[in-house]
Amino acid sequence: MNTTHSDHVEVPRGALIMAAALVATAVAATSIARIAQIPPAASPALVRAADHAQVVKTRTLRFSDRPDGSVEIQDVGTGQTALLLERGSNSGFIRGVMRGLARERRMHGVGAEAPFALTLWSDRQLSLTDTVTGRSIELNAFGSTNRATFVDLLTRPEAKPVAPIAASAPNGGRS
């Protein structure tokens, strides 16, 4: 009975060469960028300032979780509910964006009371800015469909609950 066990693993020589080439390329590219003093990409806020983009429309909103699992979006200026996202509604993008901003607020020890500024700029960019932490999310980066969910908040005059996605009726909806 042979009880020897080997932990030795053979890695193909080609894989090692490719890994070394990848590391060398990354180090070379970083070194060239540093030596040539290539500036990093500008932030959207700096680009807007350089292009003299103006505010087209802005709305100050407060997002509040309700005990039933829904999210109330309140227009701070009017005190009215701009939108009520029912639990189970097709509102994942708004909830995801707000979850990330709420996590950052918790890291800064800030509560949910402070509002957010939703702004449409003259260069057609749309941003959501946390008025407390200063963090800004450029919503155009997430595609036109996701952007449209926030554009709707700029023009929505009063609460219209988002209905949960209905299950298909038996027999294709026929009685």
Side-chain angles (χ1 to χ4, degrees):
M1 177 173 177
N2 187 358
T3 59
T4 60
H5 178 72
S6 175
D7 289 330
H8 180 71
V9 177
E10 288 282 331
V11 178
R13 180 176 167 90
L16 290 174
I17 292 171
M18 292 300 284
L22 180 64
V23 170
T25 301
V27 170
T30 303
S31 299
I32 290 168
R34 290 283 199 179
I35 291 169
Q37 296 181 347
I38 298 171
S43 72
L46 292 176
V47 171
R48 271 196 290 275
D51 293 344
H52 306 291
Q54 301 295 314
V55 172
V56 172
K57 186 164 186 164
T58 191
R59 193 170 192 186
T60 307
L61 303 167
R62 181 176 295 116
F63 295 76
S64 305
D65 291 325
R66 295 179 39 171
D68 64 356
S70 62
V71 174
E72 179 182 11
I73 305 172
Q74 181 186 40
D75 184 317
V76 174
T78 65
Q80 293 184 334
T81 299
L83 181 63
L84 182 63
L85 301 173
E86 298 288 345
R87 184 174 186 198
S89 65
N90 189 11
S91 60
F93 180 65
I94 293 175
R95 288 175 185 267
V97 167
M98 298 317 299
R99 203 174 300 122
L101 290 170
R103 181 176 39 248
E104 185 161 341
R105 280 187 172 186
R106 280 192 305 273
M107 290 182 346
H108 285 91
V110 178
E113 302 81 32
F116 295 86
L118 180 60
T119 307
L120 178 63
W121 300 90
S122 59
D123 62 358
R124 300 188 38 89
Q125 297 298 308
L126 184 68
S127 63
L128 181 66
T129 304
D130 187 336
T131 61
V132 174
T133 66
R135 179 161 181 221
S136 182
I137 295 179
E138 298 300 317
L139 298 167
N140 287 41
F142 297 98
S144 60
T145 303
N146 288 328
R147 179 185 184 276
T149 61
F150 278 95
V151 169
D152 181 55
L153 285 174
L154 282 175
T155 56
R156 180 178 289 275
E158 57 192 45
K160 291 182 184 175
V162 176
I165 297 173
S168 297
N171 299 326
R174 289 176 252 128
S175 298

